[in-house]
Amino acid sequence: MTKTLEERLNQILPRITSEDFLQNRGLGNEIGFWIFEYPPEQEMAVRSFLSEVVEPALRRKQPPLRYVCVNLLELVVDVLEHRKLFDKVIKMQAEKGDDAVFASLQGVLNQEKLAQRIVGLHNPDELDMMIFTGVGAAYPLVRSHTLLNALHPLMKNTPLLTFFPGRYDGYSLRLFNKLTDKHYYRAFRLVP
């Protein structure tokens, strides 16, 4: 029997506030990287649930949980604005198209550099968990599997939960249920 999205969403809070999740217990020495997959057409429902249910509950939790929610698209915009490239990128996209923009930003948005920026802004040692959103909106500038791989040595024991619009079967990520990233098998499904 397949669970509905609502049933799966309602399992998020008990799971991510459990000591097993927060302490990475039961993972067989694997790092606590988790994927909550959902149908891409349910993006707005998932965003609403996260902002209206999950985040307020995390803020009220006693003792307080230290967490950060990183929107990957906002991260990209922040990097581009910090480097004073945002307006140039918008102009280039209008004049030369997506491929030219993507090619020109390969160095600036290198996934290793993005991973370093994330942990520079949000020290994993000072957090109980990190949450990623905006995966679909940041594609193709941010590739989920590459960024997650770059974060593996940096996150230490801090769990990372990625909200993923598509499918994750434990071996590969299929963004929007169509685009297949290279095999990524180091994360766990948060809610089957």
Side-chain angles (χ1 to χ4, degrees):
M1 179 178 200
T2 304
K3 294 177 184 167
T4 66
L5 178 62
E6 182 178 358
E7 290 170 323
R8 292 180 65 244
L9 288 169
N10 287 329
Q11 291 180 35
I12 292 173
L13 264 174
R15 183 74 180 110
I16 67 174
T17 56
S18 74
E19 283 303 309
D20 285 346
F21 177 89
L22 294 169
Q23 300 302 318
N24 290 319
R25 285 198 291 251
L27 300 180
N29 293 325
E30 290 290 326
I31 193 161
F33 279 28
W34 299 88
I35 306 285
F36 182 83
E37 60 181 316
Y38 57 91
E41 60 273 11
Q42 296 295 322
E43 176 72 28
M44 298 312 290
V46 172
R47 278 189 207 178
S48 292
F49 190 82
L50 184 59
S51 67
E52 295 170 14
V53 177
V54 173
E55 289 194 80
L58 291 177
R59 286 191 292 271
R60 287 190 307 268
K61 179 90 169 112
Q62 291 299 323
L65 285 176
R66 301 165 305 157
Y67 80 96
V68 65
C69 192
V70 177
N71 181 301
L72 296 180
L73 180 60
E74 290 173 6
L75 175 70
V76 167
V77 170
D78 180 57
V79 167
L80 295 177
E81 287 178 341
H82 180 75
R83 305 246 343 233
K84 303 198 183 324
L85 295 172
F86 186 77
D87 292 333
K88 292 175 187 175
V89 167
I90 297 296
K91 184 177 179 183
M92 178 187 286
Q93 194 279 332
E95 294 172 357
K96 298 182 180 179
D98 294 339
D99 291 339
V101 168
F102 185 68
S104 70
L105 292 178
Q106 290 291 313
V108 174
L109 297 177
N110 172 286
Q111 308 300 279
E112 300 282 336
K113 290 179 185 176
L114 285 179
Q116 289 290 337
R117 183 164 180 90
I118 290 167
V119 299
L121 292 170
H122 312 288
N123 183 348
D125 292 333
E126 297 173 0
L127 297 172
D128 294 309
M129 81 177 79
M130 187 177 292
I131 300 170
F132 279 173
T133 64
V135 170
Y139 178 85
L141 299 174
V142 177
R143 302 297 293 259
S144 305
H145 77 284
T146 308
L147 181 58
L148 292 174
N149 278 328
L151 282 164
H152 265 269
L154 306 175
M155 290 298 292
K156 301 176 184 161
N157 292 320
T158 304
L160 170 64
L161 170 57
T162 300
F163 282 84
F164 188 81
R167 282 186 293 213
Y168 178 60
D169 60 11
Y171 301 103
S172 62
L173 296 161
R174 292 184 59 84
L175 187 63
F176 309 127
N177 295 332
K178 296 177 185 192
L179 306 169
T180 304
D181 263 340
K182 293 181 181 172
H183 290 294
Y184 182 79
Y185 50 87
R186 298 172 90 180
F188 300 92
R189 292 175 74 206
L190 184 71
V191 178

